[in-house]
């Protein structure tokens, strides 16, 4: 597979230094930036990556793929993204060999606000499917601040579960799968009844995943704790210019938030899901 030899204006080429399949059809790519950066990225921000398609499809993609940052080296040069193969674009990205380059824009967007929970407090992190990856860097940042975290992670089945050991090193992990092949049978909402969940009283709740799950989190937790939601949506430009990804503003029915520019992280009170 070939990649662009020069970046587009405003973008940069990142080197693929690792590419591992961490679950069925799910890859973790470590991408290295070419030079020193002023600071490591905020948790919840994303890269807008341009895949290179097979020659039969013209060899180039029109749209980038927004992929959340799952982890970062301490100096911010190496960024890990985790993505599932769902089409030609993500297949092209997951097929990038070590040593190749990928055209990247970012980090972009507004990430999670860690200041809503004080050191010594507790935070509940709820994720589903490919909404799980950004919660890893978030959990790392919270633990570094002295916050106790509990993670409730939902997957389709055991073959979809990834990084369970890494999450477990940061806090208590409760897993649900649709068929019960790993953890508890059901969705993350069903985890409320498992041992350890009811006793955990969070000061803040953070979530990323499919819309039904975010609606559950918004309804169940925003009345009792500071709640932030990272919205998954198809994006085009990634910088708020095209208005392809919008969500209604809870304070003004005539206004729409741009998910890529105003988010992807919003407080539960900011958006109508």
């Amino acid at each position: 597979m070939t990649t662009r030899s020069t970046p587009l204006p405003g973008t940069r080429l990142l080197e693929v230094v690792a590419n591992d399949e961490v679950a069925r059809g799910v890859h973790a790519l470590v991408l290295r930036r070419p030079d020193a950066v002023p600071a490591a990225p905020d948790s919840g921000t994303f890269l807008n990556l341009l895949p290179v398609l097979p020659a039969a499809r013209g060899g180039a993609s029109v749209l980038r793929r927004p992929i959340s940052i799952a982890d970062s080296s301490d100096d911010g040069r190496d960024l890990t993204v985790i993505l599932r193969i769902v089409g030609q674009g993500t297949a092209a990205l997951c097929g990038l060999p070590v040593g190749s380059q990928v055209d990247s824009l970012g980090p972009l967007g507004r990430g999670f606000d860690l200041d809503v929970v004080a050191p010594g407090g507790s935070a509940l992190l709820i994720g589903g499917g490919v909404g799980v990856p950004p919660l890893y860097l978030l959990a790392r940042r919270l633990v570094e601040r002295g916050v106790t975290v509990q993670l409730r992670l939902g997957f389709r089945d055991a073959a979809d579960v990834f990084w369970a050991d890494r999450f477990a090193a940061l806090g208590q992990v409760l897993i649900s799968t649709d068929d019960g092949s790993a953890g508890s049978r059901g969705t993350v909402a069903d985890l409320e009844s498992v041992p350890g969940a009811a006793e955990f009283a969070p000061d803040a709740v953070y979530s990323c995943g499919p819309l039904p799950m975010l609606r559950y989190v918004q309804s169940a937790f925003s009345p009792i704790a500071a709640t932030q939601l990272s919205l998954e949506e198809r994006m085009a430009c990634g910088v708020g210019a095209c208005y392809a990804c919008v969500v209604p503003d809870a304070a003004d029915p005539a206004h729409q938030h741009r998910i890529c520019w105003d988010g992807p992280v919003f407080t539960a009170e900011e958006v109508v899901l």
Side-chain angles (χ1 to χ4, degrees):
M1 178 176 292
T2 59
T3 58
R4 290 178 183 275
S5 58
T6 55
L8 295 172
T11 69
R12 62 176 59 191
L13 293 176
L14 307 186
E15 180 185 0
V16 179
V17 296
N19 181 349
D20 299 308
E21 186 173 17
V22 295
R24 179 183 53 200
V26 178
H27 286 245
L29 276 66
V30 180
L31 308 175
R32 178 164 296 165
R33 297 200 258 193
D35 45 29
V37 293
D42 293 335
S43 59
T45 57
F46 65 94
L47 299 177
N48 219 12
L49 301 177
L50 186 65
V52 178
L53 300 180
R57 293 293 305 273
S61 175
V62 174
L63 296 179
R64 295 173 177 273
R65 302 301 192 274
I67 310 294
S68 298
I69 297 171
D71 199 11
S72 167
S73 60
D74 290 340
D75 63 5
R77 282 197 66 190
D78 287 351
L79 305 176
T80 301
V81 296
I82 296 178
L83 61 158
R84 179 191 304 281
I85 298 174
V86 294
Q88 287 205 59
T90 48
L93 291 171
C94 289
L96 289 170
V98 171
S100 64
Q101 293 178 311
V102 60
D103 190 307
S104 173
L105 181 63
L108 299 172
R110 179 177 68 164
F112 293 107
D113 181 359
L114 279 62
D115 291 332
V116 297
V117 53
S122 59
L124 175 61
L125 282 57
I126 302 175
V130 291
V132 168
L135 300 186
Y136 181 78
L137 182 57
L138 171 63
R140 265 193 58 201
R141 295 274 192 262
L142 289 169
V143 170
E144 289 167 359
R145 289 166 51 88
V147 174
T148 299
V149 302
Q150 181 184 89
L151 297 118
R152 301 180 190 175
L153 309 178
F155 301 92
R156 287 183 298 186
D157 55 39
D160 277 355
V161 178
F162 58 86
W163 279 19
D165 54 343
R166 295 197 187 193
F167 280 109
L170 299 173
Q172 184 182 22
V173 179
L174 306 177
I175 289 177
S176 69
T177 52
D178 295 345
D179 62 0
S181 56
S184 300
R185 184 185 183 94
T187 69
V188 291
D190 298 310
L191 290 172
E192 286 189 50
S193 59
V194 307
E199 299 82 0
F200 192 81
D203 300 304
V205 178
Y206 301 89
S207 186
C208 183
L211 190 56
M213 190 199 76
L214 295 180
R215 286 174 174 152
Y216 149 71
V217 173
Q218 185 183 45
S219 172
F221 293 100
S222 63
I224 59 174
T227 300
Q228 297 175 45
L229 310 171
S230 181
L231 307 189
E232 295 181 324
E233 184 58 74
R234 284 184 175 272
M235 299 175 184
C237 69
V239 293
C242 68
Y243 282 78
C245 58
V246 294
V247 62
D249 183 343
D252 180 1
H255 178 252
Q256 304 255 351
H257 291 295
R258 295 163 293 178
I259 293 175
C260 67
W261 185 255
D262 302 313
V265 177
F266 297 90
T267 68
E269 294 77 19
E270 286 182 293
V271 292
V272 178
L273 300 181

